[in-house]
Structures are given as structure tokens and as C-alpha cells.
Amino acid sequence: MPNNRAARIAILSFATLYPALAHAHVGVGDTSGFTHGFAHPMSGLDHVLAMILVGILAFQLGGRALWLVPAAFVGMMAAGGALGTA
């Protein structure tokens, strides 16, 4: 098997730097306040699809994951919100 270390480094570098190229939440419209921040996850198709897929993943895993996966998702969203306000 050939050594593909360079390819792995390139892919890792791309995956690390690519989110910096995304210009999400550029400030169009009202971008401040509790109400806007609370309603924001329900306003975009990308957010809604992410929440649906978390539910599907939890259902497929079954058992305790049925509650733990969505709870972890909401917990990380809360942590992100806390970091955003800090």
C-alpha cells in the first residue's frame, strides 16, 4: 500500500481551513437580541436539517442514544451560544 501521508495532510488541512471560507451569518437583517438568537436555529434550512438528522441518527442507534444524542446536540448548541456571548 503506497504511503499517502501527503494526501492525508492535505485533506486534514483543507478540512481545518475550509470553514473559514464560509460566510454564514453575515449580518443581514436583525442580528442581535435574545429573540433573534433563540429563533435563529428554526429559521434556516441547514439548521432544521441538522436537527432532523440528529433525530434520525438517535433513532437508528436506539436505546439510551434515543435521548442522549439529541440532549448532547442541544447541550453543544447551548455551549456554542455561551461562547458566542462571552
Side-chain angles (χ1 to χ4, degrees), residues 1-84:
M1 181 170 189
N3 185 0
N4 56 3
R5 184 173 185 212
R8 287 183 185 179
I9 291 172
I11 290 170
L12 181 61
S13 298
F14 179 76
T16 302
L17 298 174
Y18 186 71
L21 301 175
H23 295 288
H25 314 294
V26 294
V28 176
D30 186 19
T31 59
S32 62
F34 177 79
T35 306
H36 176 74
F38 190 76
H40 177 75
M42 305 301 177
S43 64
L45 182 61
D46 57 339
H47 293 279
V48 174
L49 287 176
M51 289 185 276
I52 290 171
L53 289 176
V54 165
I56 291 171
L57 175 65
F59 178 76
Q60 287 180 339
L61 292 174
R64 290 177 39 182
L66 194 61
W67 296 103
L68 290 177
V69 172
F73 180 76
V74 171
M76 287 296 104
M77 283 197 317
L83 283 174

